[in-house]
Amino acid sequence: MSEQDELLNDFLVESKENLDHLDEELLALEGSPEDSDLINAIFRRLHTIKGVCGFLELKKLESVSHAGETLLGALRANELKVTDHIITLLLTLCDAIRTIVTCIEETKGEGTQSFEQLAAELLAAAKPAEQDAAPKKELSLDEEFELILAQREAAESGGEPLEAKPEEPKPAPTPARTEPPQEQPEQASRAAPQESSLRVDVQLLDHLMNLAGELVLARNQILQTTKSLSDMNFRAITQRLNLVTSELQEGVMKTRMQPINTVWGKFPRVVRDLAIQCKKQVRLEMWGKETELDKTLIEAIKDPLTHIVRNSIDHGIEVPEKRAAVGKEAEGCITMSAFQEGGYVVIEISDDGAGLNTEKIRDRALQRGLISREKAQAMSEADVHRLIFAPGFSTADTVTNLSGRGVGMDVVKSSVEKIGGQVDISSRAGQGSTIRLKIPLTLAIIPALLLSCASQRFAVPQSAIMELVQLSATEKSGLLSWIGDYPFYKLRGDLLPLLYLSRQLAVESHPREDAGDKVIVVLDVDGCRFGVVVDEVHDTEEIVVKPLGRQLGNLAVYAGATILGDGQIALILDPVVLAREAKVEQREAVEVRAAATAAASLGEGTGQLLIVQVGSEVRAAIPLDCVRRLEEFSLRDVECVGKSAVIQYRGSILQLVDVAGTIGMRSEPWTSGNVVVVGSGDALVGLQVQGILDVSCELSAVKPVTGKPGITSYGVIQGKVIALLDVAHLLSHGLEATDSRVGFEQAGV
């Protein structure tokens, strides 16, 4: 590479950095128009770009930069005041310079696009200052060359770009300082950290990361071999190698970590431009800008974040008139926050706009054939909101340059999941929406738990594991239950949804789910806990993630593969995809299979029963084939209409029944939030209970009763007398909308 080419490459890199700073500083100047230091800093950055253009003979870039410099010169001299129009012109200038720089980088030329009109507008805006201003002296060739050398030295040391100024009339000289040497040590101390920085090619960092990964694999194999050796000296050497490898790996990974602000820095400009375009007032707040991510992931989330911010402005924030009509401030607010949570970085983008229109989303999904009418009626509000991530979905009535094509949020979801992340949305009508991205810190080397299933080994990222539970063959009868087709494990009083890995992955032709002892690996996927039943758990190990080949690209449940210490290959499970394919719904209660009609009666020893707590000391049983769902609602979601307690549920109104009051007991404050949804056909009611205890079929000593509304009989389960509820009576009682609000009023609803 010639010296001229090297100089050009340095100029391109420095220009991109200066342009990023210019965007931020111009937006800051718009908020503080009297900040003279900020104006000087902006002038110096633009002068740096313009000064080197002359030496490199970039005439087009030099011309438009000179026009911007003229306008900034008038601002520096206080001949003009900073206005929104001037800021817009200078931001447009930054875009023009960025376009030319990109063209130079790709074609080695300045391109054919003309920026004469922009230069004329910049000069016209500066005309009031130019009428009385004395002509400024242009830089000589020697001064230009000195500027270039100064800029290169500043760039190599990581310092502030320097400015070579032409000679100008100076005020009367001030007396010289008598003790200048006292400032030298301070200047040297400030320069020392700058001289320690160094630009490194990204490809070199990638190569070092790959080598570190291979070293980790070799380390793991050596550690595996050492376990069978008795040579203590060799073991000591191995432990030293283990320590050095870990430190080297951590150091290499840190070289690739960048603050998330490298992505966020452009969003103030994006928000400003889109707000003007949509005729809205929007303020952007950012928290956690120092949070670090791997450079590869930083690049991967640029587009998803841009889509989310655009949607927040276009669909979320209302126009000032609508905000004022509902008592909101005219200026909307978008908040971006980032923080580290375990092995993940969580990014939340919130707005205080109108929130998602649940019914509009549901109707549009039906129109586009994304869901059936039956499924639409059964979907919860959270499920409906997640439809915005469906391919081709959009609520926009017309296609614009901002929205309407149905590709924005689909791109967000696919892009985030492609890098092993998760995305979810929460929204409240009239209050705004929050989109939450959960992204791994790095994709190269991760701690994982190794486990076995059907004589095959798999790895699970340790960040998703909550705990391990030993499930012995003798415990299964008491702790393992089936509700419909779904297995559950009673873990500390709660029902934990289970999936058998052998069945889910079809790694055995005839899975023996009840044979021998098992281990339950409890996973957490974005707040949803479920257990994965495996044969055996081994050890935790730092594994190097290797991508799967294109032939295996359709196996989404595997996030990659790794080579273990004994040289064998283990597939890495993706907990997010595993939960989705197993139909473990996030943040929802247990799903059960609904029967076509309610059971009229229950004989001794037949059928399964759901055991619930009705009062403080009374237990009751509900025929399981009458149960549609187990839900947990917040008291603030319950509304009292007349004598009825109701709740908005899956696109309709669900009548709630006070079970205790219906069967002749004293109503108590409803504090648990537990509701058993029962039904026959399309008729549904929610039974208010104090707790959901267990599932059992061990019913004995059944004694029918009469004159007890809501109870068909009494029986004995687990040594205790249980009241068997008459679901048909409770259903008709609820649909008659009789008094069901007492327990809720006592709870403060």
Side-chain angles (χ1 to χ4, degrees):
M1 181 183 293
S2 66
E3 184 176 351
Q4 183 78 0
D5 290 338
E6 185 177 350
L7 183 60
L8 179 62
N9 287 338
D10 288 345
F11 166 73
L12 294 176
V13 172
E14 293 162 12
S15 295
K16 290 180 180 179
E17 293 177 355
N18 280 326
L19 286 170
D20 290 339
H21 287 297
L22 280 172
D23 279 343
E24 297 177 12
E25 290 168 347
L26 285 170
L27 293 177
L29 181 62
E30 188 174 33
S32 305
E34 304 296 330
D35 192 336
S36 59
D37 292 338
L38 201 50
I39 295 175
N40 289 332
I42 295 170
F43 180 87
R44 285 196 299 270
R45 292 193 189 280
L46 189 59
H47 184 70
T48 296
I49 296 174
K50 180 246 181 182
V52 182
C53 288
F55 184 79
L56 295 175
E57 298 183 355
L58 302 173
K59 300 300 183 184
K60 185 181 294 187
L61 184 53
E62 181 182 25
S63 174
V64 71
S65 300
H66 175 74
E69 185 184 49
T70 302
L71 177 56
L72 283 166
L75 294 175
R76 292 179 76 198
N78 290 324
E79 297 168 353
L80 288 176
K81 296 295 184 182
V82 175
T83 64
D84 291 344
H85 175 64
I86 288 178
I87 294 295
T88 300
L89 277 177
L90 291 173
L91 286 172
T92 306
L93 170 64
C94 291
D95 293 339
I97 295 175
R98 192 174 280 109
T99 299
I100 297 174
V101 167
T102 301
C103 191
I104 295 171
E105 188 175 30
E106 294 175 353
T107 67
K108 303 298 182 183
E110 295 182 272
T112 59
Q113 187 173 351
S114 174
F115 297 98
E116 293 180 359
Q117 178 64 32
L118 175 60
E121 292 177 5
L122 289 165
L123 292 173
K127 275 184 180 179
E130 290 184 336
Q131 291 175 357
D132 301 324
K136 297 182 181 179
K137 178 182 176 183
E138 294 293 331
L139 294 176
S140 67
L141 183 61
D142 289 340
E143 289 171 334
E144 296 278 10
F145 186 70
E146 290 176 1
L147 172 64
I148 294 168
L149 293 179
Q151 291 299 322
R152 293 188 64 184
E153 290 176 2
E156 291 173 356
S157 64
E160 183 78 14
L162 302 178
E163 175 190 6
K165 297 181 180 179
E167 294 183 2
E168 297 179 358
K170 300 179 181 179
T174 56
R177 295 182 61 87
T178 56
E179 297 177 347
Q182 293 180 355
E183 296 190 1
Q184 298 303 318
E186 182 182 352
Q187 295 173 357
S189 65
R190 288 199 302 265
Q194 298 173 357
E195 293 172 358
S196 65
S197 63
L198 180 67
R199 276 202 181 97
V200 179
D201 193 292
V202 175
Q203 293 182 350
L204 177 58
L205 290 179
D206 290 340
H207 182 59
L208 289 176
M209 178 62 78
N210 291 334
L211 290 178
E214 295 300 326
L215 182 59
V216 169
L217 289 177
R219 185 272 312 271
N220 292 344
Q221 292 176 339
I222 292 175
L223 290 176
Q224 185 76 17
T225 303
T226 307
K227 291 180 180 179
S228 60
L229 299 178
S230 58
D231 189 332
M232 299 306 297
N233 290 332
F234 185 72
R235 284 196 171 192
I237 296 173
T238 302
Q239 291 302 320
R240 176 63 178 166
L241 174 63
N242 181 26
L243 177 62
V244 173
T245 302
S246 298
E247 292 180 353
L248 178 62
Q249 167 207 333
E250 183 179 353
V252 172
M253 290 176 65
K254 283 183 178 179
T255 63
R256 295 177 52 85
M257 301 297 282
Q258 290 186 328
I260 202 169
N261 191 46
T262 57
V263 177
W264 284 11
K266 71 174 184 177
F267 285 111
R269 169 75 186 279
V270 171
V271 170
R272 179 187 186 273
D273 292 349
L274 290 178
I276 293 174
Q277 185 176 347
C278 297
K279 299 180 181 179
K280 299 177 180 179
Q281 299 177 21
V282 186
R283 178 180 76 257
L284 177 65
E285 297 180 355
M286 295 187 288
W287 305 92
K289 295 188 289 186
E290 70 284 351
T291 306
E292 291 188 333
L293 263 178
D294 187 280
K295 177 177 174 59
T296 304
L297 301 178
I298 288 277
E299 297 294 327
I301 64 173
K302 282 183 179 179
D303 288 343
L305 290 178
T306 302
H307 282 301
I308 294 172
V309 171
R310 287 164 64 99
N311 265 26
S312 295
I313 297 174
D314 191 26
H315 294 292
I317 302 294
E318 312 96 326
V319 295
E321 296 78 13
K322 287 187 177 180
R323 293 180 64 86
V326 295
K328 293 183 178 180
E329 295 182 1
E331 183 182 54
C333 180
I334 295 177
T335 303
M336 302 179 68
S337 59
F339 55 91
Q340 189 170 335
E341 188 178 83
Y344 288 84
V345 166
V346 177
I347 303 173
E348 293 182 345
I349 302 95
S350 304
D351 66 69
D352 63 348
L356 296 180
N357 188 325
T358 305
E359 292 309 313
K360 186 175 183 180
I361 295 174
R362 195 194 309 269
D363 293 342
R364 190 58 58 89
L366 283 170
Q367 293 172 12
R368 302 197 174 206
L370 298 176
I371 56 174
S372 64
R373 187 163 300 277
E374 293 75 15
K375 185 176 181 180
Q377 293 301 321
M379 295 179 74
S380 66
E381 189 176 57
D383 287 333
V384 175
H385 290 168
R386 294 189 187 103
L387 287 174
I388 68 171
F389 296 111
F393 183 83
S394 175
T395 57
D397 297 322
T398 58
V399 176
T400 67
N401 61 337
L402 284 182
S403 61
R405 293 182 172 83
V407 295
M409 301 310 293
D410 176 31
V411 169
V412 169
K413 189 172 189 296
S414 59
S415 299
V416 171
E417 290 184 349
K418 187 177 180 180
I419 58 175
Q422 307 164 25
V423 59
D424 200 5
I425 184 169
S426 60
S427 179
R428 292 184 68 87
Q431 299 183 24
S433 303
T434 297
I435 293 183
R436 192 173 193 263
L437 279 61
K438 193 173 182 181
I439 301 167
L441 283 170
T442 180
L443 297 180
I445 302 173
I446 61 172
L449 176 70
L450 301 180
L451 51 88
S452 294
C453 181
S455 303
Q456 297 187 31
R457 280 189 290 181
F458 301 91
V460 179
Q462 197 169 335
S463 57
I465 299 174
M466 302 304 297
E467 61 180 304
L468 302 176
V469 178
Q470 183 71 40
L471 181 61
S472 65
T474 57
E475 292 178 325
K476 290 180 182 178
S477 59
L479 298 176
L480 196 61
S481 302
W482 287 78
I483 302 180
D485 285 341
Y486 297 90
F488 293 87
Y489 179 79
K490 190 173 182 181
L491 180 62
R492 293 188 293 273
D494 294 328
L495 292 179
L496 179 73
L498 293 183
L499 64 92
Y500 285 85
L501 192 61
S502 56
R503 173 193 284 193
Q504 190 65 34
L505 303 181
V507 293
E508 276 186 310
S509 56
H510 300 287
R512 295 173 298 169
E513 297 171 350
D514 296 326
D517 295 348
K518 301 285 185 180
V519 178
I520 300 176
V521 182
V522 182
L523 302 179
D524 185 293
V525 176
D526 200 16
C528 175
R529 291 195 178 191
F530 63 100
V532 179
V533 181
V534 300
D535 296 337
E536 188 179 359
V537 167
H538 301 291
D539 200 357
T540 58
E541 189 174 295
E542 287 185 333
I543 62 173
V544 180
V545 180
K546 298 289 186 180
L548 298 176
R550 288 181 298 175
Q551 298 84 350
L552 303 176
N554 61 333
L555 300 177
V557 73
Y558 301 115
T562 188
I563 302 175
L564 302 178
D566 58 3
Q568 299 296 314
I569 294 177
L571 293 171
I572 304 170
L573 298 173
D574 187 330
V576 178
V577 180
L578 193 64
R580 184 173 66 239
E581 292 192 354
K583 299 179 181 179
V584 180
E585 297 182 359
Q586 297 183 3
R587 299 192 184 96
E588 290 207 347
V590 186
E591 282 201 46
V592 298
R593 175 178 290 181
T597 58
S601 62
L602 186 67
E604 180 175 346
T606 62
Q608 286 185 308
L609 298 171
L610 179 68
I611 312 302
V612 297
Q613 189 83 29
V614 175
S616 59
E617 299 179 354
V618 178
R619 294 185 175 190
I622 304 171
L624 195 57
D625 56 1
C626 302
V627 178
R628 295 293 182 88
R629 295 179 67 87
L630 307 180
E631 298 284 10
E632 185 172 354
F633 296 123
S634 171
L635 282 172
R636 65 172 178 268
D637 295 329
V638 178
E639 303 177 51
C640 289
V641 181
K643 293 184 177 182
S644 301
V646 298
I647 195 165
Q648 298 181 36
Y649 182 69
R650 296 178 176 268
S652 62
I653 305 299
L654 181 69
Q655 177 78 37
L656 298 179
V657 175
D658 178 9
V659 177
T662 304
I663 63 177
M665 295 176 51
R666 182 173 60 86
S667 297
E668 297 186 8
W670 190 54
T671 57
S672 66
N674 291 311
V675 170
V676 180
V677 180
V678 298
S680 174
D682 294 330
L684 297 177
V685 297
L687 304 183
Q688 166 220 340
V689 297
Q690 296 295 333
I692 298 171
L693 304 178
D694 204 351
V695 174
S696 178
C697 59
E698 300 175 358
L699 178 64
S700 61
V702 177
K703 180 181 179 181
V705 298
T706 58
K708 291 277 189 181
I711 299 177
T712 62
S713 56
Y714 291 110
V716 176
I717 297 179
Q718 299 173 357
K720 293 186 177 182
V721 176
I722 300 289
L724 278 72
L725 298 181
D726 185 346
V727 175
H729 175 82
L730 294 173
L731 189 61
S732 62
H733 182 81
L735 296 178
E736 290 172 0
T738 53
D739 196 347
S740 60
R741 64 184 181 179
V742 178
F744 301 104
E745 290 179 339
Q746 293 174 353
V749 176

